[in-house]
Structures are given as structure tokens and as C-alpha cells.
Amino acid sequence: GHKQWLQSQYKEVFSAIVEGCGHERPTESALALATAMKLIAAECQSPLEPTAGFPLAKLKHLLQSLLPSDRPNANLISRFQEYTVHQDVVYFCWKVMPSLAPKEFAPNSQFVQNFLALFSAVCFGKEFLEETPCFLCIELQQMDYAYIRKHINKTWSCIMNWKHDEVSHRQLLVLLLEKVLIHLDKPVLLTDFLMDSLDVGGAISLLALQGIFVLIQQHNLTYPNIYEKLYSMFEPEIFHAKFKARLFYLADIFLSSSHLPEGLVAAFVKRLARLALIAPPQDIVIILRFIGNLIMRHPALKRLIFHPNGGEVSQDPFIMDERDPIKSNALDSSLWEVATLQSHVLPSVATAARFISNPFPSVEWDLASVLEINENDIFDKEISKKSKEFALNLERPASMFLYCGGEKSSQYWKLF
């Protein structure tokens, strides 16, 4: 009787602790999570019943508490990732994950976002299985990957049936690309979903394009208009997109073949050159390097710099609004945009644009070195240069940074 009473008290306390995971203060909820995991580990090592094994029900209870449908819970779920380095935790999480995904009703968007965050926390790459395993409480002889993979597929198919808003749609695609795709039994079944996502626009289209690229590369998917789709993504909005670097990376791979039609590659070169006129400075350098690389891969495109017939034209024959790159008349045009950028106010941009006036290097430029440059990097680089000429203001200014609010500028300038 006493033993049963103790066990009922323990269950009650555990439930109260799990309830604490929903506390509004992050420190309290994190403490509740840590305590619950310690109890699960202790119970696993010292079971309440001789044949009990791992306390799956308690783990499920805890995971359910990480999935509220009324508030985001990404912070606490990221704290839970501290435990998913342990193979036994991951294994038992996947035992219960399919049962956490609602099948009878469509969950709301907040639950979906939390569920995707939890899915990401317990999902893993192939290297996880190859690393020296570490365990929280049970030393598994061997990680049953086939079993886990089955449960990943089961849970994923359930997620794919849910309704997704823009946030969870993007979250879903990132998760798919970074962690899930390698575990799927039939990745080609994603084709329709990715095709539909391509038409959404913005970051979602870009992520979908990467997914399609993987299917083309690894699963022999054929997609006839892939270059048109890629071409259409180079719009002014990309410079403000979170996944901008990903687009250039993808375009670099898609356009890596030297067997592509010259007219197609010329269209990309011209479109990029036109965008360079309105792009932020750090992106202009990326574009110019990329254009240079494309011309190096396709030497015939040097006609855009030195036209064989020479002469002048009254207007640019390139049709920027043409959706089909082949019909854009790019080969009849020239890179006047790059020549214009040689007069850019920023020396780094002007220097980068001079590649068309100089002999091309023997190897391509490394895009990775410029993809992560931001405005502050350019500012710091320019401000550190020594100048031989100084502009003087004869009238003493009252306040230099009154309108531009330049915290950054005020580090380097001082009014005496």
C-alpha cells in the first residue's frame, strides 16, 4: 500500500513538473524541463517495476507539453535539443512522435509551428549515426535506424496533410531540405508539393527550387521549365530576402554546365547586370563576380563586352520583362550596366566592375567570400582606408548626426 501511495505521489509530482513547462517565465519552464528529464533518466535507471524499462508514457507527456497550440514554444524546444544529442533520447522520442501528430483534426498554425520545431529538434543527419554514441540513461547496443526511419516517414506524411500558413510552409521546406529529405522512402512523392510551392513566390519558391534541384540531381526528376523558373526569381525583391545567398548558390550550380545554350546564359547575365543597377552595394559585388564567372564558363559571351560588329545602338535590345530567357534578345545586347558601375561611388564596387576592361583571371571568383558581406563590412573597409585629401568645412557644424541618426558614423567622426 505504501509503495502504491508513493508511486501515485510521484506521478502527481511529475505531472506538476511537466505542467511547469508551460510557465510564462522562460527560466521556470527550462527548469521544469530539466527536472522532468532528470526524473525520466533516474526512473529509467531505477525502474518503478522490474520489467518497466524506459518510461515512454512520461516522455510522451513531456513532449506533449512542448506543443501548446496557443503560443510559440521554440525557446523551450531549443532547450530540449540539449538532450537530443543522446541516441537513446532520440530513439524513444521517435517511438512516440507519430502519436503526437493529430490525425483526426487539422491543428492550428501555432501547434504546427511548434510541432515542426520539435520534429527538427529530434531529427538528425546521417553523421549522427556515425558519431561515437552518447546516452542519457540506456546504452543502446545499436540504433535501430530502420525503425526510426519508418516513424519519421509516418510522422512526415501526417505533417504534409496539414494546412500550412506562410510561416509553417517556409519552416516545413527548411526542415525538409536540411534534415528530412535523406530519411524519406519516396522523395519523388514530394514533387507536386514542391511544384505548388514554386508558385507561391519569395523565400518559399526559392526553398522549393532547392528541393527540386535535389530531386533532379539525386532522383532523376525531370522538370522542363526549371531555368525559366530560376530566371523569374531574379527580381529586385531578392536583395531583401533571407535566403538570397541560397539563390546565388543554386543559380551557380544550375548554370555550371558549359553545354547550356549561350542565349540562356546570356539572359541570366543581362538580367543580373540590370539588377546590379538597383541592388545594394554588397549585392552588386556578388552579381559582378557571378557575371564574371558565367562569362568565363561561356567564353562566347564576351561578345557582350566586345561585340564582333561593334558600332552603337539607340536602345538596348534586351527585353527585361520577357519571361522566357531564350526570347529576351540578350545575345544582341551589351554589358553597358557593368561599364556604368565602373563609376560607382564606392571604390569596391567600381573596382569589381572593372573586370570587363581587364584580362579575365584563369580561375573563377569564389562567390562564398562575398556572399556574406554586409553594409557594415563595406563601411568599415572604406573608413579604414587612408586618404590623402581632406574636405574641410569652414563653418563649424552644430550637429552632424541629427538627421541620419548615425551611431555607426559617430564612432569615426568627432565634433570639436
Side-chain angles (χ1 to χ4, degrees), residues 71-123:
R71 67 181 189 282
N73 208 23
N75 288 341
L76 193 59
I77 291 169
S78 68
R79 292 298 298 267
F80 182 68
Q81 277 184 285
E82 294 169 18
Y83 300 97
T84 57
V85 295
H86 304 288
Q87 285 198 3
D88 52 343
V89 173
V90 170
Y91 175 74
F92 290 112
C93 279
W94 279 113
K95 264 197 157 183
V96 298
M97 277 296 281
S99 64
L100 297 175
K103 297 167 191 67
E104 294 78 30
F105 64 94
N108 69 9
S109 61
Q110 193 59 75
F111 178 91
V112 172
Q113 287 170 37
N114 287 331
F115 193 89
L116 288 171
L118 181 61
F119 193 107
S120 179
V122 296
C123 204

Side-chain angles (χ1 to χ4, degrees), residues 20-32 71 76:
C21 290
H23 200 283
E24 58 189 25
R25 284 172 60 188
T27 48
E28 300 281 342
S29 57
L31 191 59
R71 67 181 189 282
L76 193 59

